[in-house]
Structures are given as C-alpha cells and as structure tokens.
Amino acid sequence: MRQRAALVLGAVAAAALIAPAGAWAHGLVGRQDLPIPRWLFAWGAAVVLVVSFVALAVLWATPRLQQVQERRLLGVPRALEVVAGGLGVAAFAVVVYAGFAGTQSATANLAPTVIYVAFWVGLPMLSLLLGDVFRAFNPWRALGRGFGWAARRIGGEGMPEPMAYPERLGRWPAAVGVFAFAWVELAYAQRDDPSTLVTLALVYAAVQLVGMSLYGVERWCDRGDAFSVYFGLFARLSPLHWRDGAVYGRPPLSGAPRLSPVPGTVALLCVMIGTTSFDGFSQGTTWSSIAPDLQSFFADLGLASDHALEAAFTVGLVGVCLAVALLYRLGVAGMHTVGEHKSTEDLSHKFAHTLVPIALAYVIAHYFSLAAYQGQALASLASDPLGDGSDVLGTASATIDYQWITATGIWYVQVGALVLGHVSGLILAHDRALAIYSRARDATRSQYWMLAVMVAFTSLGLWLLSAAAQQ
Amino acid sequence: MGPDETATTETQVAEPAEPEVPTVEVQGGKPKGGVQRLEFGSGDQVRFKVESDVADEIHVHGYDVAKDVEAGGSATFAFKGTIEGRFEVELEQRGVQIAELEVSP
C-alpha cells in the first residue's frame, strides 16, 4: 500500500509564477498527462537506437516509394463534394455563432473545444487514417468555390483569370499561418476566450477568401491556406488518396515523396515540430526557470504583466522553432560532405518530406490524451453549444470518461507514436537517398547524418514527455 | 521576482496517530507559496484540506468534485484516486488554480 501524500514546494513556488500559462496550457484541459517514467524512457530510447541501426542494415537497396502505383478503390460523386462543403460551412457558422452568442466560459462554450481539439488535434489524426478529408469540408474553400461559381454564372466569360501564384511565396503563407495559430494557442493571453477565438477565425477565413480570389481557389489552398496545407501534409502519409473524383489506395507514406519542396516547406515543417515541442517544453521545469526572467525583462521594457508574459512565450516559441531548423540544417550540412557534394539548399529541399512523420508523431505524443478525453466533451457541447442549458441533441449531460484508457496506456501511445514516426522518417530518408545518389555507398553514408537528426528529434520528443523535463 | 521560499504546510506533528493531511492555504484568493502538487498513488484514498480566507467554490477537475468554502473556513476532500493523471484544483469563481492533484500508477 503506497501512501504517498507529499507536498512539493520550493521549485514549484517559482514555477507557480507562470503556472496559469505554463503548467496548464489552457483552461480547456481538465487532466494533464503524467510524465513518462524513467524505465519507459530508457526502453523507448533503446528501441529507437536498435531500430535505426537494424534499418540501415536491412532496408531495401533500390528506391521503392518514389514512384508507386495507386489503385482506384471507388468513385466519389460530385454531389458528395458539394454536400461536404455545405456541412463544413454550416459547422463553421455554428462555431462562430456559439463563440459570439454563447457563454464566455471556455469549457462550456462549443467554440474552443472544436477549434483546439476537434480541428487542431483531431484532424491531423483523421488525415493519417482517412486521407485529406479536410479538403472536402474546408469551409473557406467551399465558400470560395461557391462565390466563383456564382460569379461565373453572373459575370459569364468576362471574369478575369486569377493571377499566377508567385513561386517565391511557396508555402510561406502556410508557415506563417501555422505559427500564428500556435502563438494564439500557446502565448496569447486571450487564448480561451470564445468570442476572441471566433473573431480570429473569421479574420482568417476572410484572408483566405482574398487569397483564393487573387490566385485561384485550388492554388491558394495548396500553398497559402495554412490548415489545408497542414492537414494535407499529414494526409500524404495516409494509405488513402482522394483525387479526380475517386479514392485511390496506396502504400502508407508513399504520398510524402511527392511533396514538391517549394520555398517555405522546410520552414513550415520546422514550425510544426517546433511549436509542438514548445508546448511540451513550456510545461517543464527548464522553461519555468527561464520564463520569469524573460517576463521581467519585458516588464522592465515597459510592457504590462500579461503582455510581458506573452512576449516571453513568443521568444520561447521562436527560439524552439529556430533550434529545430538548426538541427535539420546541421544534418543536411553533414550530408553535403558526402560523395558528390550536393548543394545544402538542394538537399534541404529533397529531404523535407522526411520530417512529416516526425511532425505527426509529435502531435500524437503531445495531444493524444487531449483528443481522447476533451474530445468526448464534444458530445455535450454539441447539444448545448452556447452553454445556456439547452439540450438540442439530448446528449447535454454526457460526461467525460477518464477511465477508458489508463495513464500507462497513454504512455505507450506516446512512445509508440514517436518510435513509429522515427522509423517512418528513416524509411523516407533512406528511399530518397537511394533515388538521388548514384552510388549506393554514398546513399548509405549520407544517411548516417539523417539518422543522427532523426535520433535527435526522437530523443527530444521522448525527453519532452519525460519526468526529466516535466517534473 | 522573489517567490516566497518559506512556504510550508501546517502540519500537526503533535498527533502522530492522525495521518498527515496535506493542506492548501489560500490567502487573498491565491495559493500561499504557489501552486503545490498533491501526490497520491492510483487506487489510494485522496485526502487533502483547503483553508481559505475567501469564499469560493473549490473544484477538482477530472474527478469533478466541488465543495464550497466560506471566508476563513476550510473544506476537506476525501475520495478514491481512480483516475490517473494530473488535475487542476481551482477556485471556480475566481478561476485561480490553487493546487495540482497527481494520481500516478
């Protein structure tokens, strides 16, 4: 019988200064994960190392994932696309309405849980399983297409052609958009305020409509719309591919090598990995020892207390994203020294897609329990979206079952996701190396560098979840 | 930015028979000495006490247990630690976290 009833003081007293923003990322979270124990950390790290070296020895010797045949599974009627788009717009309207008209308590209003849990965390996982489903439901894309259709009906042939999308812009708008969302979630003081959130959602949608009207709906969604690009990247790992009015089957991961490495792609992936890392990092002791100093530095510059805290978190967010970018760059610089001395810029682009599974693994490791628990709140929130006591669907009194998976079960999901992400990244990198190096020996040697990068990312991921970082 | 280092618990050393009940002190609507962590093992009896100089409702998230406390009064919590994880203990009306409950396997 363990009767451990201890109070942790000292260090916690210091941490408490930033506790509202640090320890509890937002008011939405009723339960936080326990840090993974040391034994599991050790096992996870050991498996990663063994798998990596075994992979070097046994992986195939000719590229397999660069050109794959997709198998047509079934056709998708065009009407279904229209229906899905309509549903997306309707859901968006309900969330915006709830955000403005409903209670401003974060947990009792539908908007924050839909935005932070169903949308931001649920859709990446869904995209892995089912492919790019967001594309069909994307409300601003549906609106953009609707407006385009109406304009053509009214204006006839006189409609101007969209401008050519600037090549140099690439995926930069998406990188900026994902960073902005992460900033709102992790640094912004009003992150839980329903009306603020939906105001930002409306602003975002308006910007997308402008982008689509300038450059064309599909072009903008492929490059500029942060969420289309974000979910679309994860969907590349999926065995399902929706295109040309049909669903196609393909080997998992095989969509990733087709990623065109336009400008901003590497930045986007570093933002994705960096912001998730910072979410974990900001809950740990290292950050809680730095943050008060940063906060008081900004307070001394004349910022009010909460803005100083926002500034401190912004610095942290940018810092971790840059650290992730630097790590990837180091690996690429290492590869540059091998064999034919390919340019680092070129290598950086050619291996960008290998970061996609790592980014998804980070998302799952950090947010699985949020989806697993807070996701259940959608049942009651959907029935009472405004938090005014109504019960539209009869499920308003549904509660969250915190016991369907144990803390140990969550640990296995977290470590499992990181190990699988690691292996997937290695496979993609290995396959790409075989495709671009003319000598197999150079391909293998170049991969020592990528291996080091992947091991670093996975160890970082494990460390962020561990007691060493979380305390 | 000097956190109060001297924060301690109000332990009654005089009565060894009584199992030590961790106490969270609330002063001016804030936890004295910062947010403390209350640690228990899974399946154990979770017991702690909140002494508050302000009236509010104390809410243990996850377990969804809530008790009212009067200004200058105290509230004692006792329930079985069946859900593993870390949970926020909050002054509901003020929206201030006063402690963190940890139930580990």
Side-chain angles (χ1 to χ4, degrees):
Chain A
M1 186 70 189
R2 284 170 303 163
Q3 189 58 276
R4 285 183 294 132
L7 291 176
V8 178
L9 298 169
V12 185
L17 290 168
I18 59 150
W24 293 86
H26 38 75
L28 229 47
V29 187
R31 178 201 169 281
Q32 245 190 1
D33 289 327
L34 293 166
I36 57 171
R38 201 167 284 166
W39 61 266
L40 187 55
F41 179 85
W43 273 107
V47 167
V48 163
L49 284 178
V50 170
V51 158
S52 306
F53 284 102
V54 170
L56 277 186
V58 304
L59 277 180
W60 45 84
T62 49
R64 285 191 185 177
L65 292 170
Q66 308 299 311
Q67 302 289 335
V68 292
Q69 283 294 320
E70 297 191 340
R71 214 156 41 85
R72 191 174 187 277
L73 299 177
L74 57 111
V76 183
R78 203 174 151 69
L80 205 64
E81 255 182 83
V82 179
V83 171
L87 284 175
V89 175
F92 183 68
V94 168
V95 169
V96 170
Y97 175 71
F100 284 127
T103 169
Q104 293 305 297
S105 149
T107 42
N109 191 305
L110 176 70
T113 297
V114 167
I115 292 171
Y116 286 132
V117 182
F119 183 71
W120 184 240
V121 175
L123 275 175
M125 301 182 193
L126 209 62
S127 304
L128 170 68
L129 298 174
L130 300 179
D132 197 358
V133 282
F134 177 69
R135 191 178 181 81
F137 291 93
N138 182 344
W140 32 92
R141 175 171 174 261
L143 283 176
R145 292 178 78 181
F147 288 147
W149 179 80
R152 275 190 305 277
R153 288 294 293 259
I154 298 161
E157 298 303 305
M159 293 299 295
E161 281 292 302
M163 295 194 288
Y165 187 82
E167 266 314 303
R168 284 175 57 195
L169 210 52
R171 289 191 178 85
W172 278 107
V176 172
V178 169
F179 183 86
F181 185 96
W183 183 85
V184 169
E185 186 184 25
L186 303 174
Y188 187 38
Q190 264 94 52
R191 62 177 78 88
D192 285 334
D193 184 30
S195 63
T196 310
L197 272 181
V198 298
T199 306
L200 291 172
L202 282 178
V203 170
Y204 181 83
V207 172
Q208 303 320 302
L209 288 174
V210 172
M212 286 186 258
S213 69
L214 287 178
Y215 301 116
V217 173
E218 302 306 330
R219 196 67 189 149
W220 180 257
C221 285
D222 284 346
R223 292 284 188 267
D225 172 14
F227 300 108
S228 290
V229 175
Y230 181 72
F231 301 132
L233 276 177
F234 295 136
R236 286 174 181 273
L237 308 175
S238 170
L240 296 181
H241 190 194
W242 303 72
R243 63 173 167 92
D244 311 328
V247 194
Y248 291 80
R250 64 186 176 193
L253 303 182
S254 66
R258 298 185 186 188
L259 178 71
S260 59
V262 296
T265 305
V266 174
L268 170 66
L269 282 153
C270 292
V271 164
M272 285 160 64
I273 297 175
T275 52
T276 318
S277 301
F278 180 72
D279 193 12
F281 182 66
S282 65
Q283 289 165 29
T285 45
T286 312
W287 175 248
S288 55
S289 61
I290 305 170
D293 293 337
L294 271 176
Q295 188 187 0
S296 57
F297 169 75
F298 285 111
D300 290 345
L301 291 181
L303 287 179
S305 169
D306 54 341
H307 291 309
L309 192 62
E310 282 173 347
F313 271 68
T314 309
V315 168
L317 205 50
V318 172
V320 175
C321 289
L322 288 178
V324 166
L326 183 68
L327 186 55
Y328 179 66
R329 195 73 196 184
L330 280 177
V332 167
M335 270 197 286
H336 165 74
T337 63
V338 172
E340 302 135 56
H341 296 287
K342 296 181 180 301
S343 94
T344 46
E345 203 55 38
D346 188 39
L347 286 170
S348 169
H349 289 163
K350 289 234 161 77
F351 284 87
H353 67 289
T354 65
L355 297 177
V356 177
I358 308 270
L360 183 62
Y362 269 56
V363 168
I364 294 174
H366 282 277
Y367 299 122
F368 170 74
S369 67
L370 185 67
Y373 294 129
Q374 190 60 30
Q376 296 177 48
L378 287 169
S380 58
L381 289 169
S383 194
D384 182 11
L386 307 184
D388 58 2
S390 55
D391 193 356
V392 189
L393 307 172
T395 52
S397 57
T399 53
I400 297 175
D401 176 7
Y402 280 105
Q403 280 167 302
W404 75 271
I405 181 166
T406 61
T408 318
I410 290 173
W411 287 336
Y412 287 133
V413 171
Q414 293 179 316
V415 174
L418 285 175
V419 171
L420 274 179
H422 176 82
V423 172
S424 306
L426 279 184
I427 288 175
L428 288 173
H430 173 83
D431 208 67
R432 178 54 53 89
L434 291 174
I436 64 170
Y437 285 95
S438 44
R439 291 190 305 177
R441 198 169 143 269
D442 289 342
T444 307
R445 282 175 60 212
S446 76
Q447 288 317 290
Y448 294 146
W449 290 97
M450 277 317 276
L451 185 72
V453 170
M454 300 281 171
V455 168
F457 276 130
T458 309
S459 312
L460 171 69
L462 281 170
W463 178 78
L464 287 170
L465 296 174
S466 73
Q470 297 285 322
Q471 206 37 251
Chain B
M1 195 131 301
D4 190 358
E5 297 273 50
T6 58
T8 46
T9 51
E10 297 280 300
T11 46
Q12 274 110 40
V13 199
E15 295 165 70
E18 199 63 8
E20 191 182 309
V21 178
T23 303
V24 179
E25 265 192 82
V26 176
Q27 261 182 8
K30 288 204 169 108
K32 188 181 168 191
V35 176
Q36 303 165 1
R37 183 174 297 154
L38 311 161
E39 294 179 0
F40 299 90
S42 183
D44 288 357
Q45 188 74 5
V46 172
R47 295 188 63 186
F48 65 93
K49 188 174 166 187
V50 179
E51 290 176 353
S52 174
D53 66 346
V54 293
D56 207 315
E57 185 192 21
I58 298 152
H59 182 203
V60 183
H61 285 253
Y63 286 84
D64 227 9
V65 183
K67 280 191 176 174
D68 288 330
V69 66
E70 288 167 24
S74 70
T76 306
F77 289 85
F79 51 85
K80 204 166 180 228
T82 48
I83 314 171
E84 295 163 354
R86 286 177 173 174
F87 305 91
E88 192 179 0
V89 182
E90 188 189 30
L91 291 181
E92 192 67 9
Q93 283 154 30
R94 284 178 176 74
V96 174
Q97 187 187 358
I98 55 169
E100 185 176 74
L101 170 65
E102 176 176 307
V103 179
S104 44

